Amino acid sequence: MQSSDIFSDLAEAAGFRAPQDWVLAPGEVHVWLRGASSKDIREAPSVANANNRDSQAALTAILAMYAGTPPEDLAILRGPHGKPFLEGGPHFNLSHSAGAMAIAVGTVEVGLDIEHPDRPVSAEALAAKFFHEEECR
């Protein structure tokens, strides 16, 4: 069995749908998705820590495959604003909410966010927190 098959099997066992291959063309982004069960949604506060551990383990396994290195050799660093990155790429981003997870991996800067649809969110407060003041106008 090839290592890409092992990682695909691990990712799929964790509930992710794996891409067809592990090769990123220039400008390409792969998005890994794991849906939330109805139980996860009902118990969202109680599963938050477990989901965080699961998402970090899944992220490490997925990045290791794209980087072609063992997971224990990955060095995930943080940029000046706290965004994690992998020196030498690929670019990535992780989001999770109420048991659902999404991981984007690409050859270009990526960002994604998933939210439970019943979560109250103020667009103005969100924009003020993450956007430049000129973008909030």
Side-chain angles (χ1 to χ4, degrees):
M1 181 178 278
Q2 294 182 335
S3 62
S4 62
D5 293 333
I6 294 168
F7 279 97
S8 290
D9 290 347
L10 288 172
E12 289 177 4
F16 284 92
R17 291 189 296 273
Q20 293 299 309
D21 60 52
W22 297 85
V23 178
L24 291 164
E28 186 174 40
V29 175
H30 290 173
V31 178
W32 292 71
L33 301 170
R34 185 185 88 180
S37 71
S38 57
K39 180 182 177 202
D40 286 340
I41 293 169
R42 284 191 313 272
E43 299 176 1
S46 66
V47 298
N49 288 336
N51 283 337
N52 190 43
R53 285 189 305 274
D54 291 348
S55 63
Q56 293 301 318
L59 176 66
T60 300
I62 289 168
L63 289 177
M65 195 60 222
Y66 281 102
T69 187
E72 61 272 10
D73 291 345
L74 282 181
I76 297 177
L77 308 171
R78 294 216 173 254
H81 300 290
K83 183 175 180 181
F85 71 95
L86 189 62
E87 193 160 355
H91 300 280
F92 67 93
N93 200 258
L94 164 74
S95 181
H96 48 85
S97 178
M101 282 188 259
I103 298 172
V105 181
T107 59
V108 295
E109 285 283 337
V110 296
L112 79 160
D113 185 43
I114 59 172
E115 294 292 339
H116 187 275
D118 293 337
R119 179 176 178 235
V121 176
S122 163
E124 292 82 14
L126 189 64
K129 183 175 180 179
F130 292 105
F131 297 163
H132 187 277
E133 67 183 51
E134 290 182 17
E135 295 174 307
C136 294
R137 294 182 187 168

